[in-house]
């Protein structure tokens, strides 16, 4: 059976996002109850993997994980962070959200603010949006000249290859939703006073250019997918399926890394003796 | 009935930590099963409170929470972060661990590195160790002259009052364990290859000075407890009780803040109409 990552990996060559069903369930649980059970099991696997990675880092290891989350508004980047990333010990996680760049950030290369947020050794970094915005919104809204954003695909490939060589295991996930599902979610945001703060009138401007965004995504997926920095497309119209899929991709990624608990740099038997002699120091 | 925070709040006046039983259960669940049930309920409350605080911050609010965790080695600062802080959406949490200061940090005032890690608006900041190390290990190990650490109690009081005035709701928790329990936990770390990386031979040096540390804690608790920055002492020999207690303190803290979802700064009805007209932009 194909692994979860193989199933969701973007196919080689030109990418046709209309051929991927946002309500599809190509592998894994078929309903919400099965997903809940699978996610509980994934939580245990993720916890174990995260702790070993953290320990490896504490012992001098330099490896880390970088999970990049991209998707149209309401596709569930925040939901994935709460329900999939939230399965692991928050001490081992570094989350960075990339919003509209500040004036200072715009004065630097587009990767400048990204480099500052890379995960430390032993950590799982999560990017809520990322350097891909610089070939998505920036391309669709023509915020820079064409030759500038066109050059970025190569710059991103080089950047990610450099990270991989430094021990960063990268997994990039596009949360793939349909425009119909987005309409329902935006409506739910408008109608629920507890969700209204997430709504931004600008979301409708991006929505109006849906096809342009899908085209920009397709180009980024095609040009920036590699074995060192793979792109996954996760059908995300069903939230429970989306959360399961990202948790499973992360768990497989950690499993394959097989992080190792470090060997002690002290004499265990001698410390045991010292400890037993020390018992109850205050009596 | 006294609130959870009232129960755990350090009593006014000179503090006698030997009068607080590290295995005590002065309120709340009496066994592990009851605690598991209570923690699930707290998770729902914490989630709601955290989301409202985050939304308040997104809407221009400036309030935040700062949870300070202190305790002897093995007292469970990491366990609390995993099992109590881990109940809330990691996107709203900022965790900072304060280890031995770097050379650069030592060239600055002891609060310099602390200020850099304060939570942003709408966030829950968690300090795994804190500025209190500068009146704990620094006092016990005489790392600075006496008059320097003695002046720090007042400096900490001023610092925390300043934070409170800026909208930071502070809760400081000492995880209170017995030396017998510490010996068991250190032994478990030595005997389990998956826990050995957490063991540090220096832990036994601190353990040898147990009474000096307890005295330093007692002074810090007495001199730096205030209504604006309260200290809580949580019996922590039972891990399930400790995790429940910190989750309950955090939930009560958020409940009392009563964060408010912001009012929309756009015309909801007009956006609703725009949205419904926009449905299915790609068809």
């Amino acid at each position: 059976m194909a692994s979860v990552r193989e199933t969701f990996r973007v196919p080689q060559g030109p990418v046709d996002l209309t051929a991927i069903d946002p309500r599809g369930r190509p592998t894994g649980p078929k309903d919400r109850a099965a997903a809940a059970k699978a996610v509980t099991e994934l939580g245990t696997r993720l916890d174990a993997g995260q702790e070993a990675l953290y320990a490896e880092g504490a012992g001098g290891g330099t490896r880390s994980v970088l999970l990049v989350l991209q998707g149209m508004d309401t596709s569930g980047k925040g939901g994935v962070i709460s329900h999939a990333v939230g399965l692991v010990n928050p001490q081992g996680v570094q989350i960075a959200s990339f919003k509209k760049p500040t004036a200072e950030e715009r004065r630097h290369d587009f990767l400048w603010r990204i480099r500052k947020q890379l995960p430390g050794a032993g950590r799982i970094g999560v990017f809520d949006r990322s350097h891909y915005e610089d070939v998505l919104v920036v391309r669709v809204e023509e915020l820079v000249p064409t030759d500038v954003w066109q050059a970025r695909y190569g710059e991103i490939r080089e950047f990610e290859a450099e990270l991989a060589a430094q021990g960063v295991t990268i997994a990039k996930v596009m949360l793939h939703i349909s425009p119909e599902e987005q309409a329902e979610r935006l409506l739910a945001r408008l109608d629920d006073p507890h969700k209204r703060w997430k709504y931004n009138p600008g979301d409708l401007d991006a929505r109006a250019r849906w096809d342009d965004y899908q085209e920009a995504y397709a180009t980024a997926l095609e040009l920036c997918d590699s074995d060192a920095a793979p792109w996954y497309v996760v059908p995300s119209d069903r939230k429970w399926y989306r959360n399961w899929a990202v948790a499973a991709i992360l768990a497989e990624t950690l499993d394959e890394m097989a992080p190792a608990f470090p060997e002690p740099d002290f004499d265990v038997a001698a410390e045991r003796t010292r400890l037993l002699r020390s018992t109850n120091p205050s009596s």
Side-chain angles (χ1 to χ4, degrees), chain A residues 22-239:
Chain A
R23 295 189 67 80
R25 288 161 296 183
T27 184
K30 290 297 174 202
D31 59 45
R32 190 183 294 267
K37 190 164 168 283
V39 163
T40 302
E41 290 164 8
L42 284 170
T44 308
R45 250 170 85 192
L46 283 167
D47 244 359
Q50 181 273 327
E51 192 178 16
L53 182 66
Y54 192 92
E56 185 183 279
T62 55
R63 295 194 298 170
S64 62
V65 170
L66 177 60
L67 175 67
V68 172
L69 298 174
Q70 285 287 162
M72 299 293 285
D73 292 318
T74 78
S75 62
K77 299 176 289 292
V80 159
I81 290 174
S82 179
H83 298 287
V85 177
L87 295 169
V88 307
N89 185 341
Q91 194 136 33
V93 175
Q94 288 173 226
I95 300 166
S97 291
F98 295 97
K99 302 187 196 301
K100 204 174 144 178
T102 63
E104 189 191 9
E105 286 169 350
R106 274 198 304 272
R107 278 196 297 274
H108 292 83
D109 176 79
F110 75 107
L111 294 171
W112 179 75
R113 63 175 187 160
I114 305 293
R115 291 182 188 275
K116 293 203 296 180
Q117 302 275 10
L118 292 169
R123 297 303 205 285
I124 299 172
V126 181
F127 281 1
D128 174 358
R129 303 188 189 270
S130 66
H131 43 297
Y132 282 96
E133 291 298 324
D134 294 287
V135 289
L136 292 167
V137 62
V138 166
R139 164 177 162 162
V140 171
E141 300 292 341
E142 301 179 72
L143 302 179
V144 298
T146 305
D147 61 318
V148 172
W149 62 255
Q150 276 179 339
R152 286 182 176 165
Y153 299 105
E155 287 161 24
I156 289 174
R157 278 197 304 271
E158 275 175 39
F159 170 62
E160 293 179 349
E162 175 200 316
L163 294 186
Q166 286 165 6
V168 184
T169 300
I170 302 170
K172 300 175 294 191
V173 177
M174 181 202 178
L175 304 174
H176 181 48
I177 57 167
S178 64
E180 295 79 10
E181 179 69 20
Q182 189 192 50
E184 278 185 36
R185 293 184 187 176
L186 287 172
L187 205 57
R189 287 186 180 178
L190 280 172
D191 288 346
D192 181 345
H194 285 191
K195 288 185 178 169
R196 222 166 257 162
W197 64 277
K198 295 186 188 178
Y199 183 89
N200 179 342
D203 294 351
L204 289 191
D205 304 328
R207 177 172 169 77
R209 307 205 55 180
W210 188 275
D211 288 346
D212 295 333
Y213 273 100
Q214 296 294 304
E215 198 185 313
Y217 267 104
T219 309
L221 294 170
E222 180 188 349
L223 298 183
C224 299
D225 172 74
S226 68
D227 287 343
W231 263 115
Y232 305 102
V233 180
V234 166
S236 297
D237 272 11
R238 291 180 168 92
K239 294 176 181 176

Side-chain angles (χ1 to χ4, degrees), chain A residues 1-11 27 231-232 249 252:
Chain A
M1 205 176 83
S3 73
V4 170
R5 287 181 303 162
E6 282 163 0
T7 303
F8 292 121
R9 179 81 179 267
V10 71
T27 184
W231 263 115
Y232 305 102
I249 288 168
E252 270 191 19

